[in-house]
Amino acid sequence: MQMSKYILKRLLFGVVTLFALAAITFFLMHAIPGSPFAGETSHVPAEIRAKLIEHYGLDKSPTEQFVIYMKNALNGDFGTSLNRKGMLVADIIAMGLPVTAKLGACAFCLAMFMGILLGTIGAFAKHRWVKNAITFFATLGVSVPGFLFALFLMVVFGVLLDWFPLIGLSTWKHYIMPSVALSIGPIANITRLTKSSLSEQLKQDYMILARSKGTGQVLVIIRHALKNAMIPIITSAGPLLATLLTGSFVVESLFSIPGIGAEFVNSVSNRDFTLIMALTIMYGAMIIVANILTDIISAMIDPRIRLK
Amino acid sequence: MENEMNKDLLLAEDGLSADDFELLEETEKDSEFIAVEAKTYFQDAWKNFKKNKLATAGLIFLVIMLLAAIFTPMLSPYTYDQQDLTMRNALPSAKHLFGTDKFGRDIFIRVMYGARISLSVGFASAFINLILGVMYGGFCGYFGGKLDMILMRLVDIIYSVPTLLYVILVMLIFGSNIFSVLLAICISGWIGMARQVRAQVMSLKEQEYALAAKVMGASDSRILFKHLVINSIGPIIVTTTHMVPSAIFTEAFLAFVGIGISIPQASWGTMASEARGLIMSYPIQMVWPVLAICLTILSLNFIGDGLNEALDPRKRS
């Protein structure tokens, strides 16, 4: 199939998926009991409340509300936050996203670099104990929940040793602990993937051929083995990037980072409908784009995928 | 005649004659037949699993944890919500094995109650996801075509709604209890399994034995479940073992964030969350639930990896 046609088809599917996602989230949200005006504004007189509800269009049927919402969203208007008075949802996202994305990008680079490095060492190591140590670390890394690891880092390196600042993101030093906390799980995952994928390649005949032609070990690894082992790594890197760029609730709230990740849980517990919608759509769009990019890059690297 | 001569010639060349040979005894005739005792797939897998030390250690730990979770609460003098305000924040002692928390509750027994919750959430959700995933994935993979495409797109959409949204919704409708957590984990938890089974079935249905079964008049459901699913049992079991830790993870995360099961019930996540406030003054209270979570998940992952090698001969090193 032609590449451009394929991409177009995928994009079209992406748009349909996104629309369905928006619809499901919208109606699920309306099924959640509780109202954004239940908390601090509950003492407000009934007329004013009715006025407020009318002002935000909450008196219309969910279907009508959805149609209005989608119309506005297509014009780039995601409404105002129901919880934070007068704040545009688009502004909240525009403020939080760059912070989260910057941190996510650091964590992503760290995860890819360390994961591929450790995985390669694990696959090629001569000594058995090196292999075992890496396997053990990788399994440990996927076995420790992120929030516990973040807490551990904070206590040991932030409080006891006092090497890194605990909260905020003002200098490069601030980035280290949250990046490590975010990337530990992904590092372990990519290490496992790289190791198993590379071990598979090692058994192939072309590896022996390359070696017997006198190619150096490092060059064989980089030019032949790694290139061929890349597909499963890329396939998991796409969704990983999307997840890291949208942030983590735990890491952001533990390190007091004013990003978008912490926003989601808060918006859900505050019933901030407009913010939930916008964040879900953003998250969905990121995942969809990441998946399409992953498929395109895989097809570029591996001609066998293109032929299908 | 000519043959006879050749034979004599050959023997002569080697310096041997016919007298150097003798006939085999009847009992000796089987000696060429060298083979190990025949084993079934699972016997073979079990033998290989036992060779993996980490996996065996994981299995032993998990069994001990399970037995302890079932029996210690029955035998212990304490309960998970019994407070003793004269014994607050006690360090580990003979009376309170792991010490007590800020309400004077025995931490050891709370860890055991937590094990009940975490392990039942883990195993129950893995079981539900296994059934749902195999049915859905098998159906899609076997029948393929337009229906498959629509069903898989549907799955993509269900999968892309953030889990947290399901969780909140379920919690609000059914309340904060273990069943809500379970339900919320299962809404999108089975999708990984469905994708895995679908891929397996799609490649296996092209095999000759599937065609042969069809020619011999086997029904679709028989081919699917008795042939294709059975032949992908290895990946299915491995995916299931990895589902248990991920469910335990999710439960702990939800509890830590404060939207899991309601207090005073103990889960490892709620205990970690409660100990967080005292982490600088009584770090020991944090250690127990964390140790329980990490060791259990580590064991499950080792078991999963061990099974992965044991069930797939190609992956053995």
Side-chain angles (χ1 to χ4, degrees):
Chain A
M1 202 194 290
Q2 283 278 284
M3 201 64 178
S4 52
K5 204 175 152 194
Y6 173 73
I7 296 173
L8 203 71
K9 202 174 146 195
R10 286 297 305 265
L11 279 176
L12 214 68
F13 266 128
V15 172
V16 174
T17 311
L18 208 56
F19 180 80
L21 170 66
I24 291 178
T25 315
F26 195 89
F27 292 112
L28 276 185
M29 235 166 40
H30 280 265
I32 295 180
S35 140
F37 303 114
E40 48 190 282
T41 40
S42 55
H43 58 275
V44 170
E47 314 140 46
I48 298 181
R49 234 169 110 140
K51 202 89 186 160
L52 272 173
I53 288 176
E54 201 193 317
H55 174 73
Y56 285 109
L58 295 177
D59 51 343
K60 298 195 176 67
S61 77
T63 329
E64 266 178 281
Q65 288 185 42
F66 180 64
V67 173
I68 296 171
Y69 181 83
M70 284 315 281
K71 253 189 215 156
N72 290 336
L74 286 177
N75 292 322
D77 173 15
F78 288 92
T80 48
S81 164
L82 296 184
N83 202 252
R84 287 198 242 155
K85 313 262 146 46
M87 285 275 280
L88 279 179
V89 168
D91 285 346
I92 296 179
I93 293 181
M95 265 184 341
L97 190 59
V99 180
T100 299
K102 224 157 113 187
L103 187 63
C106 288
F108 180 75
C109 295
L110 191 64
M112 290 307 281
F113 178 75
M114 288 304 290
I116 294 177
L117 185 71
L118 287 178
T120 312
I121 296 173
F124 284 95
K126 292 274 188 314
H127 302 286
R128 198 155 180 86
W129 67 269
V130 178
K131 277 186 188 220
N132 288 343
I134 287 179
T135 311
F136 187 79
F137 163 78
T139 315
L140 192 67
V142 292
S143 304
V144 181
F147 61 88
L148 293 180
F149 188 71
L151 213 57
F152 170 79
L153 283 181
M154 287 183 90
V155 171
V156 174
F157 296 100
V159 180
L160 298 180
L161 295 172
D162 200 16
W163 286 357
F164 302 108
L166 270 176
I167 54 172
L169 269 187
S170 30
T171 62
W172 64 271
K173 267 191 162 177
H174 287 87
Y175 277 87
I176 293 179
M177 283 208 295
S179 305
V180 172
L182 275 174
S183 61
I184 192 74
I187 288 178
N189 252 328
I190 294 172
T191 303
R192 283 157 73 97
L193 257 180
T194 310
K195 189 167 167 277
S196 69
S197 181
L198 269 178
S199 308
E200 202 64 34
Q201 295 302 322
L202 278 179
K203 295 176 194 152
Q204 305 288 327
D205 292 338
Y206 72 83
M207 289 294 291
I208 302 166
L209 177 71
R211 286 295 279 151
S212 63
K213 279 178 161 178
T215 321
Q217 178 79 2
V218 176
L219 215 58
V220 169
I221 295 175
I222 293 173
R223 207 183 273 170
H224 296 279
L226 259 185
K227 197 178 163 196
N228 280 293
M230 232 28 208
I231 297 291
I233 302 169
I234 289 173
T235 313
S236 67
L240 174 66
L241 181 63
T243 319
L244 285 178
L245 288 184
T246 45
S248 132
F249 168 74
V250 170
V251 170
E252 290 191 3
S253 55
L254 279 180
F255 290 98
S256 307
I257 293 163
I260 212 79
E263 213 63 79
F264 187 69
V265 177
N266 295 335
S267 70
V268 173
S269 32
N270 290 336
R271 314 271 184 285
D272 195 340
F273 293 149
T274 41
L275 193 54
I276 300 176
M277 274 305 286
L279 289 173
T280 311
I281 292 176
M282 184 194 78
Y283 184 72
M286 286 248 202
I287 293 270
I288 290 166
V289 171
N291 278 334
I292 295 176
L293 279 179
T294 308
D295 287 354
I296 294 172
I297 294 173
S298 311
M300 266 158 51
I301 290 186
D302 191 343
R304 283 170 301 184
I305 295 175
R306 232 172 310 168
L307 291 175
K308 269 179 202 164
Chain B
M1 188 64 193
E2 208 176 324
N3 266 342
E4 284 286 296
M5 270 173 66
N6 276 344
K7 209 156 134 197
D8 281 345
L9 215 68
L10 275 172
L11 288 174
E13 266 177 21
D14 285 346
L16 292 168
S17 71
D19 299 334
D20 291 329
F21 297 91
E22 56 183 86
L23 283 172
L24 277 174
E25 293 289 325
E26 198 58 36
T27 51
E28 290 174 321
K29 283 191 175 170
D30 289 336
S31 55
E32 176 269 339
F33 190 75
I34 304 164
V36 291
E37 198 188 329
K39 283 199 181 75
T40 64
Y41 177 58
F42 285 104
Q43 281 171 333
D44 184 50
W46 174 238
K47 194 180 132 232
N48 272 285
F49 183 84
K50 277 193 294 188
K51 276 189 206 155
N52 188 331
K53 284 190 205 103
L54 286 175
T56 317
L59 189 64
I60 292 171
F61 177 82
L62 198 66
V63 169
I64 293 174
M65 198 69 187
L66 263 174
L67 293 177
I70 296 170
F71 293 112
T72 38
M74 294 179 190
L75 305 172
S76 167
Y78 307 108
T79 61
Y80 67 88
D81 58 351
Q82 179 187 341
Q83 303 185 2
D84 178 0
L85 294 179
T86 58
M87 283 288 284
R88 286 158 60 178
N89 297 318
L91 292 175
S93 64
K95 197 162 170 243
H96 297 283
L97 219 49
F98 288 178
T100 58
D101 66 5
K102 63 183 168 191
F103 297 115
R105 296 176 297 201
D106 184 67
I107 293 182
F108 176 73
I109 206 67
R110 282 178 67 77
V111 169
M112 290 306 144
Y113 271 100
R116 284 185 168 187
I117 290 181
S118 294
L119 292 176
S120 31
V121 165
F123 284 108
S125 69
F127 181 73
I128 296 169
N129 290 338
L130 167 76
I131 304 288
L132 272 176
V134 168
M135 303 277 267
Y136 198 94
F139 183 83
C140 286
Y142 188 74
F143 292 103
K146 279 246 159 57
L147 190 64
D148 165 51
M149 210 200 66
I150 295 167
L151 287 175
M152 287 322 278
R153 283 292 93 81
L154 197 70
V155 158
D156 287 346
I157 294 166
I158 297 175
Y159 196 65
S160 58
V161 176
T163 313
L164 208 57
L165 208 59
Y166 292 130
V167 173
I168 306 274
L169 189 75
V170 171
M171 294 272 169
L172 284 164
I173 297 171
F174 298 103
S176 299
N177 54 51
I178 185 169
F179 294 104
S180 303
V181 176
L182 194 59
L183 185 62
I185 291 174
C186 289
I187 289 179
S188 58
W190 55 278
I191 289 173
M193 176 63 88
R195 286 186 176 147
Q196 173 93 34
V197 172
R198 175 175 170 270
Q200 286 286 329
V201 166
M202 272 174 88
S203 75
L204 288 178
K205 74 173 176 184
E206 306 293 332
Q207 304 265 324
E208 272 88 359
Y209 66 79
L211 182 67
K214 192 158 194 124
V215 170
M216 286 189 273
S219 68
D220 282 333
S221 74
R222 192 184 148 78
I223 297 177
L224 178 56
F225 291 110
K226 291 277 168 185
H227 292 290
L228 304 182
V229 169
I230 290 296
N231 272 296
S232 28
I233 198 79
I236 291 176
I237 291 177
V238 173
T239 313
T240 312
T241 26
H242 285 301
M243 273 174 173
V244 181
S246 92
I248 294 178
F249 245 85
T250 313
E251 191 279 324
F253 165 75
L254 291 175
F256 190 75
V257 176
I259 44 179
I261 61 159
S262 49
I263 43 176
Q265 273 192 309
S267 97
W268 293 336
T270 50
M271 291 179 72
S273 175
E274 279 171 14
R276 190 179 147 194
L278 300 168
I279 190 152
M280 292 322 294
S281 35
Y282 300 104
I284 190 80
Q285 294 184 14
M286 189 71 177
V287 170
W288 305 117
V290 167
L291 217 56
I293 296 176
C294 295
L295 285 179
T296 305
I297 296 180
L298 200 61
S299 307
L300 284 161
N301 280 327
F302 282 139
I303 294 172
D305 291 346
L307 281 176
N308 193 15
E309 274 179 29
L311 292 171
D312 188 348
R314 284 167 301 181
K315 289 200 176 114
R316 283 174 201 157
S317 44

